[in-house]
């Protein structure tokens, strides 16, 4: 049982880490909570389903995958330009608008594809036996997360655009006063966030399945991870993702009731909000 | 305040009540049934819109509260037998004049206790926590034995029998709750909440305890949701997690509020009637439920982006300009 828990922790944690990183970056640069963040999973996931070897168009992986990521990024940019930009002045409006938009996307997907869960063929179908028995998809998730997260961290810490992003994350007003144009870093962050979430979306589909409801739970978990990790801390999000996935996996596998995973997220959130709202490594 | 002043202050409510009363008494059965649903959703929308519009704190789990209150009331008043011979309900068959207050108290309590940690922090924590809350509540209710699981419960007692009596009941509830929320909104509580929406730090720096008023406003909102929820479900006659915790309910509440006017009391009420009748009216033309939802959502979203103060807000603005 321990090996199953460890495996699930690593895999789920990787997914949470990718999603939370994107969510945290968008919040860091614009103080925006994008409640349509989970919908990127739907857009990328269903695009991949249409295009991938098991879907109607049956394009190979190296065609379907990049196009799905681009679709997810495009979607995220649409959310930014059409909705968030118009409602930036009023946080209430941002929450309501992005939430309704996410709901619209769910229903559009449901109209086209129905509510039935769709399976996505894994790109690596072998199972690896070793100290832990892991599927190809599981391994891919863990490896991709390491690659993408490292890339994002390196980008944010070692490029000039990354420095601009960090500047806005620490203090948006001062950054503008110093003469920094918020538009390029904002655009970059929405692109990065869209890419990370799109990858997560395709991988989720490969690992389990995809259905129109699968935007709500990832959105909630992104938020739980960011709060536990601490707003403003990338490493916080990464570590928190695995802490939460570990707790969740232990509860679900230990107690055998998959629906209890929702309670885990909420419980952790409550504990954090009562005792340490700043999170583990938070700045604010 | 004497009776004359009272009537003058709430004259619009009186007029609306009379119009609805007369209309509903002589309308065909199908329309009256929609009117009942609209009245209950008006309660939910007013309760939600009151707190979200005045204080700016968006609560994404109103259906969690109204559903939970309903579950408690139903479970306490009902003893059915579910799968494997496990009895559903609490094993009590208490009368509804006991179970409904019980459900309301339970709804308020659970909403208050779970959302308290996030309410005393900034709005974004509260808003996002409410999302986690509804997901957890849905999972718990489905998993717990004795709640009817995903299939739900039916056959529990009704408050009154018959469409027309239920219509009068729903109308009475809606108008009373509406008037109460309206007066609170006009009082100093409402004013402070509006100030919180504009600049919470400034409210606190001015020596006013914003948290205290947030708690008051939120509790009121919870109470209205719980009252509406219990009566609503007893009217419907059946209860399942999908029917109360499903996203359609919170969707209708939000769209009704933003169409009518976030920040007013009457706005959500009008919005609720609009949304319910729009849904009913398009049911024959657009039988596919997701398509209906998309269209209503798009209407709501576009109106909200172009006119964030809603229809009632716009009218109020025009009237103010005319007076000047």
């Amino acid at each position: 049982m321990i090996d199953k828990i460890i495996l699930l922790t690593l895999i789920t944690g990787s997914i949470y880490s990718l999603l939370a990183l994107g969510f945290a970056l968008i919040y860091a640069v614009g103080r925006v909570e994008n409640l349509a963040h989970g919908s990127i999973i739907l857009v990328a996931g269903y695009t991949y389903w249409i295009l991938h070897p098991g879907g109607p168009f049956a394009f190979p992986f190296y065609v379907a995958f990049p196009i799905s990521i681009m679709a997810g990024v495009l979607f995220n940019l649409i959310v930014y330009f059409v909705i968030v930009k118009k409602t930036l002045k009023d946080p209430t409006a941002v929450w309501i608008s992005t939430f309704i938009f996410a709901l619209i996307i769910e229903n559009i997907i449901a109209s086209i594809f129905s509510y039935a869960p769709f399976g996505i063929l894994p790109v690596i179908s072998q199972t690896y036996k070793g100290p832990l028995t892991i599927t190809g998809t599981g391994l891919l998730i863990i490896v991709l997360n390491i690659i993408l997260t490292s890339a994002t961290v390196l980008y944010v810490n070692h490029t000039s655009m990354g420095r601009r992003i960090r500047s806005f994350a620490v203090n948006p007003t001062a950054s503008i006063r110093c003469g920094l144009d918020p538009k390029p870093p904002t655009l970059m962050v929405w692109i990065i966030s869209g890419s990370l979430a799109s990858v997560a979306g395709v991988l989720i589909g490969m690992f389990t399945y995809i259905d129109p409801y699968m935007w709500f739970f990832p959105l909630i978990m992104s938020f739980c991870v960011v709060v536990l990790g601490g707003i403003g801390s990338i490493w916080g999000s990464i570590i928190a993702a695995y802490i939460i996935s570990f707790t969740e996996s232990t509860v679900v596998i230990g107690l055998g009731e998959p629906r209890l995973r929702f309670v885990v997220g909420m419980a952790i959130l409550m504990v954090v909000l009562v005792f340490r709202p700043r999170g583990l490594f938070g700045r604010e | 305040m004497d009776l004359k002043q009272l009537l003058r202050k709430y004259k619009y409510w009186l007029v609306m009540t009379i119009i609805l009363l007369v209309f509903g008494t002589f309308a065909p059965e199908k329309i009256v049934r929609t009117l009942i649903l609209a009245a209950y959703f008006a309660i939910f929308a007013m309760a939600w819109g009151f707190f979200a519009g005045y204080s700016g704190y968006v609560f994404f789990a109103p259906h969690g509260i109204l559903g939970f209150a309903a579950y408690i009331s139903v479970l306490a008043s009902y003893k059915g037998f579910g799968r494997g011979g496990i009895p559903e309900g609490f094993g009590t068959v208490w009368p509804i004049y006991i179970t409904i207050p019980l459900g309301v108290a339970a709804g308020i309590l659970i909403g208050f206790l779970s959302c308290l940690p996030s309410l005393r922090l900034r709005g974004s924590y509260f808003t996002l926590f409410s999302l986690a809350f509804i997901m957890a509540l849905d999972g718990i209710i489905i998993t717990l034995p004795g709640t009817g699981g995903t299939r739900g419960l039916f056959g529990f007692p009704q408050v009154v029998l018959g469409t027309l009596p239920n219509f009068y009941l729903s109308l009475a509830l809606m108008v009373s709750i509406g008037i109460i929320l309206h007066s609170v909104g006009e009082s100093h509580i409402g004013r402070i909440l509006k100030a919180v929406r504009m600049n919470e730090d400034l409210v606190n720096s001015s020596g006013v305890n914003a948290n205290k008023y947030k708690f008051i406003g939120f509790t009121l909102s919870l109470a209205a949701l719980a009252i509406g929820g219990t009566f609503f479900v007893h009217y419907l006659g059946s209860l399942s997690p999908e029917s109360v915790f499903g996203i359609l309910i919170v969707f209708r509440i939000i769209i009704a509020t933003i169409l009518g006017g976030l920040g007013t009391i009457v706005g959500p009420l009008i919005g609720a009637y609009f949304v319910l009748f729009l849904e009913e009216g398009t049911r024959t033309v657009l039988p596919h439920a997701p398509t209906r939802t998309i269209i209503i959502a798009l209407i709501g979203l576009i109106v909200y982006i172009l006119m964030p103060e809603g229809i009632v807000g716009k009218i109020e603005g025009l009237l103010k300009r005319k007076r000047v």
Side-chain angles (χ1 to χ4, degrees):
Chain A
M1 193 161 83
I2 302 260
D3 54 338
K4 280 206 203 94
I5 293 181
I6 295 180
L7 209 58
L8 198 59
T9 301
L10 288 175
I11 296 176
T12 323
S14 302
I15 300 279
Y16 288 163
S17 169
L18 286 171
L19 291 168
L21 204 54
F23 190 73
L25 278 171
I26 289 187
Y27 180 78
V29 172
R31 299 298 186 267
V32 165
E33 282 98 2
N34 176 21
L35 298 187
H37 186 66
S39 308
I40 304 171
I41 294 177
L42 293 185
V43 171
Y46 274 94
T47 308
Y48 187 75
W49 180 85
I50 297 180
L51 302 173
H52 88 302
F57 281 88
F59 291 136
F61 170 77
Y62 56 85
V63 173
F65 192 65
I67 297 184
S68 313
I69 307 302
M70 283 192 278
V73 171
L74 193 67
F75 169 73
N76 213 19
L77 291 174
I78 292 177
V79 171
Y80 174 63
F81 283 110
V82 172
I83 295 177
V84 174
K85 257 195 132 170
K86 299 256 162 64
T87 51
L88 259 178
K89 290 185 219 85
D90 183 10
T92 308
V94 173
W95 299 327
I96 295 181
S97 311
T98 48
F99 186 73
I100 299 288
F101 193 64
L103 238 137
I104 293 178
I105 299 299
E106 173 192 315
N107 280 281
I108 291 181
I109 301 260
S111 304
I112 304 176
F113 299 95
S114 93
Y115 274 106
F118 281 16
I120 290 184
L121 290 182
V123 65
I124 304 173
S125 38
Q126 311 140 274
T127 306
Y128 299 93
K129 297 202 193 291
L132 300 164
T133 310
I134 188 171
T135 59
T137 307
L139 197 62
L140 184 67
I141 292 177
I142 297 175
V143 168
L144 267 181
N145 176 47
I146 296 177
I147 296 176
L148 290 172
T149 306
S150 319
T152 310
V153 169
L154 287 171
Y155 181 77
V156 168
N157 284 327
H158 296 285
T159 64
S160 66
M161 180 64 83
R163 205 177 317 133
R164 259 179 281 179
I165 291 176
R166 272 182 291 139
S167 169
F168 277 96
V170 171
N171 193 331
T173 326
S175 309
I176 296 184
R177 294 284 149 81
C178 288
L180 287 179
D181 184 2
K183 289 199 284 280
T186 311
L187 199 64
M188 208 55 225
V189 148
W190 281 81
I191 292 177
I192 296 176
S193 163
S195 325
L196 294 173
S198 303
V199 171
V202 174
L203 291 174
I204 290 176
M206 275 189 211
F207 189 60
T208 51
Y209 59 83
I210 194 155
D211 73 26
Y213 294 119
M214 277 177 137
W215 62 277
F216 197 54
F217 182 63
L219 172 69
I220 297 174
M221 294 322 287
S222 305
F223 172 63
C224 289
V225 169
V226 171
V227 168
L228 176 61
I231 290 186
S233 166
I234 288 189
W235 283 109
S237 297
I238 299 171
I239 296 175
Y242 287 99
I243 295 179
I244 292 187
S245 71
F246 175 69
T247 320
E248 213 184 77
S249 308
T250 315
V251 166
V252 167
I253 293 183
L255 292 175
E257 181 56 69
R259 279 206 197 87
L260 282 179
R261 63 205 299 233
F262 310 139
V263 186
V264 170
M266 184 190 90
I268 293 183
L269 205 51
M270 274 186 85
V271 169
V272 173
L273 292 178
V274 169
F275 294 109
R276 197 181 160 108
R278 155 162 61 104
L280 292 170
F281 305 100
R283 229 180 314 211
E284 279 166 43
Chain B
M1 221 188 297
D2 63 358
L3 192 63
K4 242 206 184 119
Q5 285 180 299
L6 210 74
L7 282 174
R8 210 174 329 158
K9 185 172 185 198
Y10 297 112
K11 61 175 182 279
Y12 292 111
W13 285 97
L14 196 63
V15 166
M16 182 184 63
T17 313
I18 296 180
I19 293 179
L20 281 172
L21 208 62
V22 170
F23 181 61
T25 311
F26 298 107
E29 166 109 2
K30 187 155 172 236
I31 301 228
V32 179
R33 276 204 288 261
T34 313
L35 283 171
I36 299 177
L37 292 179
Y40 282 116
F41 273 95
I43 296 178
F44 304 145
M46 285 191 292
W48 185 82
F50 165 67
F51 192 60
Y54 278 66
S55 72
Y57 278 67
V58 177
F59 183 57
F60 278 117
H63 50 324
I65 302 300
L66 68 95
F68 184 78
Y71 259 100
I72 299 293
S73 174
V74 165
L75 288 172
S77 66
Y78 162 88
K79 191 155 76 171
F81 285 94
R83 11 158 215 189
I86 303 171
E88 314 284 15
F90 297 145
T92 59
V93 195
W94 292 335
I96 39 181
Y97 60 80
I98 293 188
T99 66
I100 288 189
L102 188 69
V104 172
I108 298 177
L109 216 64
I110 207 170
F112 192 70
L113 288 177
S114 34
C115 300
L116 188 62
S118 56
L119 186 57
R120 63 194 174 99
L121 301 169
R122 275 180 314 172
S124 37
Y125 288 107
F126 176 73
T127 300
L128 287 151
F129 178 79
S130 62
L131 288 174
F133 174 63
I134 181 65
M135 194 117 214
L137 201 58
D138 188 30
I140 292 175
I141 297 267
I142 293 182
T143 322
L144 278 179
T147 59
T150 44
R151 264 178 313 129
L153 309 160
F154 53 89
F156 44 85
Q158 306 240 317
V159 180
V160 286
L161 292 168
T163 312
L164 216 48
N166 265 302
F167 169 66
Y168 296 137
L169 175 65
S170 66
L171 197 62
L173 284 171
M174 180 186 86
V175 172
S176 0
I177 291 180
I179 291 183
I180 294 177
L181 287 175
H182 190 172
S183 22
V184 174
E186 308 250 299
S187 74
H188 71 291
I189 299 177
R191 239 179 301 135
I192 293 178
L193 286 177
K194 279 199 196 152
V196 164
R197 181 175 183 182
M198 283 191 265
N199 191 337
E200 183 166 348
D201 290 322
L202 190 56
V203 171
N204 278 315
S205 324
S206 313
V208 175
N209 187 355
N211 275 342
K212 174 171 117 178
Y213 288 91
K214 279 192 283 180
F215 295 162
I216 296 176
F218 185 54
T219 310
L220 260 162
S221 181
L222 290 175
L225 285 169
I227 295 175
T230 47
F231 280 96
F232 177 57
V233 166
H234 279 284
Y235 161 68
L236 286 181
S238 73
L239 174 63
S240 73
E242 180 62 35
S243 71
V244 281
F245 300 131
I247 215 165
L248 268 181
I249 301 223
V250 68
F251 162 73
R252 278 189 200 125
I253 294 176
I254 298 181
I255 300 287
T257 307
I258 64 184
L259 275 177
L262 190 65
T264 66
I265 301 294
V266 157
L269 190 151
I270 296 181
Y273 278 89
F274 182 74
V275 168
L276 263 302
F277 276 95
L278 189 64
E279 272 194 23
E280 202 50 49
T282 53
R283 204 177 287 265
T284 42
V285 183
L286 299 164
H288 197 38
T291 320
R292 263 203 314 270
T293 313
I294 295 173
I295 295 193
I296 297 181
L298 274 172
I299 295 177
L301 194 59
I302 294 175
V303 167
Y304 185 53
I305 292 184
L306 297 176
M307 206 163 57
E309 68 274 18
I311 297 179
V312 171
K314 192 86 181 193
I315 296 179
E316 274 183 4
L318 290 170
L319 284 173
K320 278 204 191 101
R321 238 178 288 157
K322 254 174 117 179
R323 240 171 264 159
V324 174

